[in-house]
Amino acid sequence: MAGFDLSMDTEIRWHGRGGQGVVTASEILAGAVIEENKYVKAFPEFGPERMGAPIRAFTRISDEPIRVHTQIYEPDVVVVIDGTLIGKVDVARGLKKGGIILANYSETPQDLQKALGTDAECHTLNATKISMEEIGRPVANTAMLGALIKLRKVVSYDVLESQITKRFSGKLSEKVIKANVSALKRAFNEVV
């Protein structure tokens, strides 16, 4: 069911490691959702973990006000920003029937299904490679956002690109912002 348009709630659970931009990706998506006049809640789950420790973030999107204030136990979409978590963290746990898993993973979607022991719809993207080639650093969050919105049209591409530019303006150089937008676009076009 990849590519369906949002007309009901969508719950996304993000997996990654501290310092990889997992929370930033969730917040950028939330900002884009707000720009499209939808409701959103985006929040991380982490404690005093150190850089590199596994973390999760959550994004809940709806056309109606959101009254649920808990983490997401049964996501529609799971986004794995760090492929090294495959086999170490049960990322498929609680995935709704008909849900999808999108992973920063250099192998095929079938290889991902096998590694996870699931028959869920899986999509892969070597976002680390894209990030290294476009940004010069292995920070795959903007690339994963591009792949996500290709698979689930929760926001338009143009609004997400604009949100990335706004989020990073004044924090990153114009060159780095453009590199992030290039990673976003490549991932949108290359996800399988």
Side-chain angles (χ1 to χ4, degrees), residues 8 26 46 54 69 71-73 77 90 92 94-96 99 121 129-130 134 137 162 165 182 190:
M8 60 181 169
S26 179
F46 57 86
H69 304 287
Q71 65 176 285
I72 296 169
Y73 297 100
V77 180
D90 186 4
L95 183 68
K96 286 181 185 164
E121 180 181 338
K129 179 180 181 225
I130 290 171
E134 297 298 330
R137 296 182 59 219
S162 171
T165 301
S182 292
E190 293 179 21

Side-chain angles (χ1 to χ4, degrees), residues 120-142:
E121 180 181 338
C122 291
H123 297 272
T124 60
L125 175 75
N126 192 338
T128 299
K129 179 180 181 225
I130 290 171
S131 299
M132 287 301 295
E133 290 173 0
E134 297 298 330
I135 304 168
R137 296 182 59 219
V139 181
N141 59 346
T142 53

Side-chain angles (χ1 to χ4, degrees), residues 14-30 42-44 46 50-59 79-82 85 104 131 135 137-145 148 164 167-168 172 180:
W14 304 80
H15 292 269
R17 294 185 185 276
Q20 293 181 321
V22 175
V23 174
T24 299
S26 179
E27 291 173 350
I28 288 170
L29 181 61
F43 52 96
F46 57 86
R50 67 190 182 288
M51 179 85 71
I55 66 165
R56 297 186 301 176
F58 307 96
T59 311
V79 180
V80 183
I81 290 182
D82 187 331
L85 294 174
N104 177 6
S131 299
I135 304 168
R137 296 182 59 219
V139 181
N141 59 346
T142 53
M144 293 302 287
L145 280 166
L148 171 63
I164 286 171
R167 171 69 185 234
F168 294 146
L172 301 175
N180 274 275

Side-chain angles (χ1 to χ4, degrees), residues 63 116 130 168 177:
D63 290 330
L116 294 174
I130 290 171
F168 294 146
I177 293 170

Side-chain angles (χ1 to χ4, degrees), residues 21-191:
V22 175
V23 174
T24 299
S26 179
E27 291 173 350
I28 288 170
L29 181 61
V33 168
I34 290 167
E35 281 191 41
E36 291 196 344
N37 297 312
K38 296 176 186 168
Y39 296 90
V40 66
K41 286 193 182 278
F43 52 96
E45 176 193 66
F46 57 86
E49 288 91 351
R50 67 190 182 288
M51 179 85 71
I55 66 165
R56 297 186 301 176
F58 307 96
T59 311
R60 187 172 278 124
I61 303 167
S62 181
D63 290 330
E64 303 295 326
I66 299 170
R67 305 207 190 297
V68 179
H69 304 287
T70 64
Q71 65 176 285
I72 296 169
Y73 297 100
E74 296 180 344
D76 299 288
V77 180
V78 171
V79 180
V80 183
I81 290 182
D82 187 331
T84 67
L85 294 174
I86 304 298
K88 294 181 177 119
V89 174
D90 186 4
V91 299
R93 184 181 200 173
L95 183 68
K96 286 181 185 164
K97 185 174 175 71
I100 66 167
I101 299 170
L102 166 62
N104 177 6
Y105 197 68
S106 61
E107 305 298 323
T108 69
Q110 295 76 23
D111 292 330
L112 179 59
Q113 283 179 315
K114 186 176 179 183
L116 294 174
T118 184
D119 60 357
E121 180 181 338
C122 291
H123 297 272
T124 60
L125 175 75
N126 192 338
T128 299
K129 179 180 181 225
I130 290 171
S131 299
M132 287 301 295
E133 290 173 0
E134 297 298 330
I135 304 168
R137 296 182 59 219
V139 181
N141 59 346
T142 53
M144 293 302 287
L145 280 166
L148 171 63
I149 66 159
K150 175 71 174 262
L151 300 172
R152 291 284 171 114
K153 296 179 181 12
V154 293
V155 295
S156 71
Y157 178 89
D158 291 340
V159 169
L160 184 58
E161 182 180 310
S162 171
Q163 188 63 33
I164 286 171
T165 301
K166 286 180 192 175
R167 171 69 185 234
F168 294 146
S169 289
K171 297 175 184 169
L172 301 175
S173 71
E174 189 65 31
K175 179 181 176 184
V176 174
I177 293 170
K178 286 181 181 179
N180 274 275
V181 169
S182 292
L184 174 80
K185 186 173 189 171
R186 268 191 65 188
F188 183 87
N189 292 321
E190 293 179 21
V191 65

